[in-house]
């Protein structure tokens, strides 16, 4: 079962001292609590107050929701972010979170050191906790910090729980006096450290996705890994050992935690080759074939593969998130079929992807006869769907119901090792996948807009493009045959014109399906002042003129951005990396 390995959820830059989320609405009191991100600047007291009030609100809601909250408790983890000027770092925010819960006699599983984000939802499930909190801003700028909140099933919280927590926060006017007692995190008998137990169980559970351990032990491949100044180094090393590999070669300049992210312009490995420079040069010196990079909280993964040299200069293929999804989806399917040769077993198999991810998994399902389901963007929705499927016994391989760069890294390593043993590279196998299931060529990018009224005006215009309640009819010279607007709940492809996906009034997202097979989506980021755009050409098997597909996709994408978003007119900031 492919999940947690698709890497498209992002983050935001917040107001320094308000629990308010960037949104396209005039009323900015609406926000998604699945990741509450805020600037930690010189406004230390205000931020600490806000943090404490947030945790008090969360306590109130959890106490109402779980009669056994006092025995189940909560998991709290943190990354390595720190703001030297204010002295407010992730560890301190985690200890304050623990103190609020402990002062109300709630057991707290507080990790004694920094951990990858996926350890928190994993611990919630394994320990039977009511909820979990991870203090992290993922790959945000260094000035930021924030929370990710998990429900008892290990999935990020979603509606209605997020809205109910917000109500509880609004009911709390002042922090409790006892909530400032940080010493409770050290002295309370209700505080325990799950680090050793969870690390051991996590590494043991990785065996569920390890299929060729004996081959791994003999693999001649060399791997380079960068943790991007974050938490990933030790855990990726352990994961490789669990699979029988020698540990990957670390990038020394980026191996240890550094909250200033001093060697990268942007601590997001998804930005591609420009931020992988140190990793690629080290791989060339070490004659390593594969480069991997996890983001600072180790829930995202980037992969590059060395291709043939040209004029003594190494060339690298940096895989997109959609390409990795295709490879990992194929790998899970391949190994499932090896252990479940009866085609009838595929009736019990599901693959999930968000609606802005590649449709390649849908093509797998159509050809191979298993189930495919699409969710709204964001891993909270995938986690929620995983829980629904688990409840009826149809899910396979649900170790962490969230993004997990640690397990993804070692799974990619095993896949690469297996393919190289068959004289295939990852890139060659990707081509094989496209030849079998159809080429899926995609583009993902964004523009930045800090002005919510402008964002609202852009999407209002699209909904009244050629008169009231009419959407655009063409783009790049191609007719638009279907429009889906999850903000309003409209879908022209459905008989009743209603979206199958849940309506999300608090964010903007419109998808256009063109006559030539291109699918294009415009959406606001749930956690960042960005308008993202996704376009994909889904060609049928047998159509392999890649250059013409790419040319057509670029033409449509450029036209869509210029005509629908009007970046110059609306003073939008184009992506710079």
């Amino acid at each position: 079962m492919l999940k947690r390995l698709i890497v498209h959820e992002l983050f935001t830059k917040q107001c320094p001292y308000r629990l308010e989320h960037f949104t396209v609405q005039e009323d900015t009191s609406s926000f998604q609590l699945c990741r509450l991100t805020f600037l930690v600047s010189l406004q230390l007291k205000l931020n600490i107050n806000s943090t404490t009030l947030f945790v008090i609100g969360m306590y109130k809601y959890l106490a109402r929701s779980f009669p056994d909250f006092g025995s189940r408790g909560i998991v709290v983890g943190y990354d390595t972010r720190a703001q030297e000027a204010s002295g407010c770092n992730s560890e301190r925010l985690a200890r304050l979170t623990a103190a609020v819960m402990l002062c109300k006699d709630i057991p707290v599983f507080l990790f004694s050191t920094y951990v990858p984000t996926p350890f928190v939802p994993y611990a919630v499930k394994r320990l039977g906790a009511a909820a979990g909190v991870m203090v992290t801003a993922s790959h945000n700028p260094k000035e930021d910090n924030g929370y990710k909140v998990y429900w008892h099933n290990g999935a990020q919280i979603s509606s209605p729980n997020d809205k109910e927590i917000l109500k509880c926060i609004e009911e709390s006017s002042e922090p409790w006096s006892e909530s400032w007692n940080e010493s409770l995190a050290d002295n309370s008998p209700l505080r325990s450290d799950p680090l050793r137990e969870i690390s051991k169980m996590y590494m043991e559970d990785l065996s569920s996705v390890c299929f060729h351990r004996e081959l791994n032990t003999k693999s001649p491949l060399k791997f380079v890994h960068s943790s991007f100044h974050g938490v990933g180094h030790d855990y990726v090393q352990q994961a490789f050992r669990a699979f029988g590999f020698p540990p990957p070669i670390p990038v020394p300049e980026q191996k240890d935690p550094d909250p200033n992210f001093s060697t990268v312009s942007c601590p997001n490995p998804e930005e591609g080759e420009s931020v992988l420079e140190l990793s690629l040069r080290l791989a060339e010196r070490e004659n390593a074939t594969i480069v991997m990079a996890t983001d600072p909280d180790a829930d995202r993964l980037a992969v590059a593969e060395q291709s043939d040299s040209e004029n003594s200069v190494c060339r690298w293929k940096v895989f997109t998130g959609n390409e990795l999804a295709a490879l990992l989806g194929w790998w899970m399917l391949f190994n499932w079929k090896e252990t479940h040769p009866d085609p009838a077993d595929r009736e019990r198999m599901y693959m999930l992807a968000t609606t802005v991810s590649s449709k390649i998994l849908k093509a797998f399902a159509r050809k191979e006869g298993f189930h495919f389901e699409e969710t709204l963007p964001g891993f909270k929705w995938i986690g929620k769907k995983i829980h629904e499927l688990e409840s009826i016994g149809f899910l396979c391989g649900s170790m962490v119901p969230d993004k997990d760069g640690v397990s993804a890294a070692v799974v990619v390593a095993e896949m690469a090792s297996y393919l190289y043993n068959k004289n295939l590279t990852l890139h060659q196998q990707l081509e094989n996948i496209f030849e079998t299931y159809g080429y899926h060529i995609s583009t993902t990018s964004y523009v930045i807009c800090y002005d919510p009224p402008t964002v609202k005006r852009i999407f209002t215009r699209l909904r009244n493009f050629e008169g009231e309640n009419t959407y655009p009819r063409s783009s790049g010279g191609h007719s638009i045959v279907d429009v889906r607007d999850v903000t309003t709940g409209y879908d022209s492809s459905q008989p009743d014109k209603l979206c199958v996906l849940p309506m999300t009034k608090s964010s903007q997202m419109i998808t256009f399906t063109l006559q030539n097979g291109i699918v294009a989506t415009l959406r606001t980021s749930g956690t960042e002042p960005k308008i993202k755009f996704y376009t994909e050409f889904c060609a049928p098997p047998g159509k392999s003129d890649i250059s013409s597909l790419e040319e057509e996709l670029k033409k449509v994408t450029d036209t869509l951005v210029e005509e629908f978003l009007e970046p110059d007119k609306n003073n939008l900031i184009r992506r710079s990396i």
Side-chain angles (χ1 to χ4, degrees):
M1 165 67 193
L2 177 69
K3 58 200 183 304
R4 76 183 180 272
L5 302 174
I6 305 170
V7 285
H8 287 303
E9 187 200 351
L10 294 173
F11 51 88
T12 192
K13 181 175 288 187
Q14 299 289 338
C15 168
Y17 44 83
R18 292 183 299 174
L19 298 181
E20 294 184 356
H21 197 279
F22 180 88
T23 172
V24 297
Q25 297 176 332
E26 296 287 345
D27 175 9
T28 57
S29 63
S30 173
F31 64 95
Q32 294 175 333
L33 275 163
C34 66
R35 178 175 289 164
L36 171 67
T37 311
F38 51 88
L39 282 172
V40 181
S41 61
L42 296 180
Q43 306 287 344
L44 172 61
K45 186 175 185 297
L46 287 169
N47 279 294
I48 296 301
N49 276 341
S50 298
T51 301
T52 305
L53 288 173
F54 167 70
V55 181
I56 289 172
M58 188 168 63
Y59 161 79
K60 289 179 178 179
Y61 183 62
L62 291 171
R64 295 174 190 173
S65 302
F66 298 96
D68 56 352
F69 187 33
S71 59
R72 296 180 70 169
I74 187 170
V75 175
V76 181
Y78 56 92
D79 67 7
T80 57
R81 285 177 176 260
Q83 286 70 38
E84 295 178 2
S86 67
C88 188
N89 55 41
S90 292
E91 182 178 6
R92 186 181 180 198
L93 293 174
R95 289 169 60 83
L96 283 167
T97 300
V100 171
M101 297 294 178
L102 290 167
C103 79
K104 292 297 181 181
D105 296 326
I106 300 300
V108 175
F109 302 96
L110 173 64
F111 284 97
S112 57
T113 187
Y114 56 81
V115 292
T117 287
F119 269 42
V120 170
Y122 177 79
V124 168
K125 290 189 68 177
R126 290 304 301 260
L127 300 174
V133 168
M134 178 69 186
V135 184
T136 180
S138 189
H139 48 264
N140 264 38
K142 64 182 181 180
E143 295 83 8
D144 292 6
N145 214 330
Y147 279 87
K148 290 183 74 175
V149 180
Y150 297 90
W151 202 234
H152 69 96
N153 58 7
Q156 293 180 37
I157 60 169
S158 58
S159 183
N161 296 319
D162 53 357
K163 295 178 177 61
E164 292 302 318
I165 292 177
L166 177 56
K167 290 179 183 177
C168 291
I169 294 172
E170 292 170 342
E171 294 170 2
S172 307
S173 58
E174 292 291 336
W176 304 320
S177 58
E178 63 269 32
S179 63
W180 301 110
N181 186 5
E182 289 184 54
S183 65
L184 288 172
D186 297 315
N187 303 326
S188 172
L190 292 175
R191 184 264 170 147
S192 59
D193 175 16
L195 180 64
R196 180 171 298 189
E197 179 185 9
I198 291 301
S199 294
K200 183 175 183 292
M201 289 193 295
Y202 178 94
M203 296 304 164
E204 289 174 350
D205 281 352
L206 274 180
S207 62
S208 67
V209 288
C210 179
F211 305 105
H212 305 279
R213 195 175 193 284
E214 184 176 348
L215 183 63
N216 298 344
T217 62
K218 302 173 184 176
S219 176
L221 286 186
K222 295 171 72 175
F223 301 89
V224 161
H225 169 247
S226 171
S227 54
F228 266 39
H229 301 295
V231 306
H233 171 73
D234 290 341
Y235 301 97
V236 170
Q237 298 262 312
Q238 291 176 46
F240 268 66
R241 292 190 184 98
F243 266 52
F245 288 109
I249 303 165
V251 178
E253 301 93 334
Q254 298 174 337
K255 175 175 71 70
D256 299 321
D258 173 8
N260 292 315
F261 308 123
S262 55
T263 69
V264 289
S265 58
C266 171
N268 182 2
E270 293 175 357
E271 294 290 353
E273 192 164 349
S274 62
V275 294
L276 296 174
E277 181 71 20
L278 288 175
S279 303
L280 301 181
R281 301 296 82 83
L282 175 62
E284 291 166 9
R285 293 194 300 271
E286 295 286 348
N287 196 29
T289 306
I290 305 290
V291 164
M292 300 177 178
T294 47
D295 71 336
D297 68 327
D299 69 347
R300 284 170 170 80
L301 177 72
V303 177
E305 178 181 58
Q306 190 169 167
S307 56
D308 295 334
S309 299
E310 187 175 292
N311 298 324
S312 300
V313 176
C314 287
R315 294 191 303 170
W316 290 89
K317 164 62 179 175
V318 180
F319 295 95
T320 67
N322 282 331
E323 290 171 337
L324 280 179
L327 284 164
L328 287 163
W330 165 81
W331 180 243
M332 291 298 169
L333 175 61
F334 171 77
N335 286 290
W336 169 271
K337 290 163 68 174
E338 289 285 298
T339 56
H340 300 78
D342 185 352
D345 286 339
R346 295 177 201 174
E347 279 297 313
R348 300 186 295 115
M349 181 182 179
Y350 280 78
M351 287 193 183
L352 309 179
T354 71
T355 189
V356 294
S357 300
S358 173
K359 310 303 178 188
I360 187 65
L361 301 186
K362 185 176 182 180
F364 287 2
R366 187 166 52 242
K367 186 176 181 68
E368 300 290 345
F370 61 84
H371 299 277
F372 171 79
E373 294 207 21
E374 207 168 56
T375 74
L376 289 172
F379 259 76
K380 65 177 182 177
W381 297 105
I382 286 185
K384 186 175 182 179
K385 179 60 67 173
I386 287 171
H387 181 65
E388 292 173 6
L389 296 175
E390 280 182 318
S391 68
I392 55 175
F394 284 168
L395 187 65
C396 173
S398 57
M399 196 172 110
V400 179
D402 196 25
K403 299 187 300 297
D404 185 353
V406 176
S407 64
V410 73
V411 168
V412 168
E414 183 176 64
M415 174 172 54
S417 175
Y418 177 88
L419 289 171
Y420 274 75
N421 190 56
K422 302 291 185 181
N423 295 315
L424 286 168
T425 65
L426 291 173
H427 194 189
Q428 287 169 339
Q429 181 55 33
L430 182 65
E431 291 297 311
N432 292 339
I433 291 168
F434 287 154
E435 288 176 11
T436 302
Y437 300 99
Y439 277 85
H440 287 61
I441 312 298
S442 61
T443 297
T444 301
S445 194
Y446 57 81
V447 292
I448 297 172
C449 182
Y450 292 106
D451 183 46
T454 296
V455 177
K456 184 177 182 179
R457 186 171 63 249
I458 288 170
F459 281 88
T460 299
R461 172 176 171 266
L462 291 175
R463 296 186 178 101
N464 302 275
F465 202 76
E466 298 179 24
E468 189 174 357
N469 297 322
T470 62
Y471 294 85
R473 296 176 183 173
S474 65
S475 178
H478 298 281
S479 296
I480 293 173
V481 295
D482 285 311
V483 177
R484 182 183 63 197
D485 187 342
V486 299
T487 306
T488 64
Y490 171 76
D491 188 341
S492 66
S493 70
Q494 297 299 315
D496 59 3
K497 307 301 180 186
L498 298 177
C499 278
V500 175
L501 293 173
M503 184 166 61
T504 57
K505 295 181 180 180
S506 62
S507 63
Q508 303 277 3
M509 186 168 77
I510 303 176
T511 298
F512 304 96
T513 301
L514 278 63
Q515 194 170 29
N516 64 348
I518 290 178
V519 179
T521 296
L522 301 174
R523 65 178 282 255
T524 50
S525 170
T527 49
E528 196 174 31
K530 290 180 178 179
I531 302 174
K532 302 202 71 181
F533 53 91
Y534 311 78
T535 56
E536 183 175 34
F537 207 140
C538 306
K543 190 173 183 178
S544 57
D545 186 357
I546 305 304
S547 59
S548 66
L549 295 177
E550 292 176 337
E551 183 179 340
E552 190 65 32
L553 183 66
K554 184 179 186 306
K555 177 183 175 183
V556 170
T557 303
D558 291 347
T559 302
L560 180 137
V561 171
E562 294 302 322
E563 292 184 356
F564 292 2
L565 298 182
E566 300 181 303
D568 295 334
K569 176 181 177 180
N570 291 309
N571 296 315
L572 307 179
I573 303 170
R574 299 176 191 260
R575 182 179 182 179
S576 60
I577 294 180

